[in-house]
Amino acid sequence: MRIIKTSLTETYSRVRVGKNVSDRFLFRNGLKQGDALSPVFFNFSLEYAIRRVQVNQDGLKLNGTHQLLAYADDVNMLEGSIHTVKENAEALVAATREIRLEVSADKTKYMVMSRDQNAGRIQNVRIDNSTFERVEEFKYLGTTLTYQNSIAEEIKSRLRSGNACYHPVQNLLSSRLLSKNLKINIYRTIILPIVLYGCETWSLT
């Protein structure tokens, strides 16, 4: 689920200097892209919305904690059923609307992971006037997740990224002017981290 920021227009504020507080004044412009205050305000707002959703005690638990993962503007909800997904998504949409954040419907997807191959196959989640598409895979924080919990596609993607990273330094790795140890350092510094990105989450059999 992708959350987007709206501006601070039609918002009032005051300035405090020591013990003196000014009259309130109207914001005529929102925060600009890259403003240092923008991520701070956004994090405060999103934290409020997430806490509103977590009041609902439905959903999957891990170590006693309901699973709603948020990183920057990406929010990932783990639920046990389509009904719970819809219920909690509705709560999040309502909470974000209250504080003038918006959920980007075009960038919001949901995926069913089940042994039953037909589970949720014909359903799209509809909230208000927005429809959230069902997909069989999506990227979250740079890692490809699939409905079968297969890691094969993610490993293929990592290898493709590693190959793309290898070509710019190919001349260095084949040069006779560089020592073997230096080539190994280049490989370990530039190529290997790209190939093994997110490998801690790979479910291997």
Side-chain angles (χ1 to χ4, degrees):
M1 181 172 288
R2 179 62 57 84
I3 309 294
I4 58 177
K5 293 167 271 193
T6 57
S7 67
L8 293 176
T9 54
E10 299 181 15
T11 302
Y12 290 87
S13 186
R14 299 176 188 269
V15 174
R16 166 179 269 177
V17 179
K19 295 183 179 180
N20 300 316
V21 180
S22 72
D23 296 331
R24 73 174 193 162
F25 57 90
L26 176 67
F27 273 103
R28 300 191 182 277
N29 294 304
L31 293 174
K32 305 301 182 185
Q33 184 73 25
D35 191 301
L37 284 177
S38 182
V40 175
F41 285 148
F42 179 71
N43 287 338
F44 283 152
S45 302
L46 188 57
E47 176 71 15
Y48 169 81
I50 288 174
R51 286 174 185 261
R52 289 286 301 275
V53 175
Q54 289 180 329
V55 170
N56 182 4
Q57 294 301 303
D58 292 331
L60 296 182
K61 281 186 176 183
L62 182 63
N63 295 330
T65 303
H66 289 282
Q67 294 306 292
L68 193 153
L69 312 175
Y71 183 86
D73 58 351
D74 285 323
V75 177
N76 190 9
M77 293 189 294
L78 307 179
E79 312 296 354
S81 67
I82 300 291
H83 172 74
T84 310
V85 168
K86 185 173 182 179
E87 191 176 71
N88 286 346
E90 286 174 344
L92 184 61
V93 168
T96 54
R97 185 185 296 119
E98 180 183 331
I99 54 178
R100 304 192 63 183
L101 295 177
E102 296 177 10
V103 174
S104 176
D106 293 338
K107 297 180 179 179
T108 300
K109 315 291 182 186
Y110 86 98
M111 184 173 70
V112 176
M113 299 179 73
S114 173
R115 291 191 176 99
D116 179 5
Q117 298 299 312
N118 295 318
R121 184 170 295 280
I122 61 173
Q123 298 185 49
N124 283 339
V125 173
R126 186 168 181 81
I127 298 174
D128 293 338
N129 296 322
S130 301
T131 300
F132 299 156
E133 177 189 3
R134 181 186 182 276
V135 296
E136 294 187 348
E137 68 175 49
F138 69 94
K139 274 193 175 288
Y140 183 67
L141 303 184
T143 300
T144 302
L145 306 176
T146 69
Y147 77 104
Q148 294 178 323
N149 198 26
S150 169
I151 206 62
E153 288 303 317
E154 171 62 10
I155 292 177
K156 289 178 184 177
S157 174
R158 290 291 105 210
L159 291 175
R160 286 193 296 269
S161 298
N163 285 333
C165 189
Y166 165 76
H167 289 297
V169 296
Q170 184 176 6
N171 291 337
L172 293 176
L173 296 178
S174 60
S175 173
R176 295 186 177 183
L177 299 177
L178 302 181
S179 68
K180 179 180 178 181
N181 286 338
L182 184 54
K183 292 177 183 178
I184 290 174
N185 285 337
I186 292 174
Y187 167 75
R188 288 178 174 172
T189 305
I190 298 176
I191 299 175
L192 198 59
I194 298 294
V195 175
L196 297 182
Y197 175 81
C199 65
E200 299 88 352
T201 65
W202 294 355
S203 53
L204 303 178
T205 60

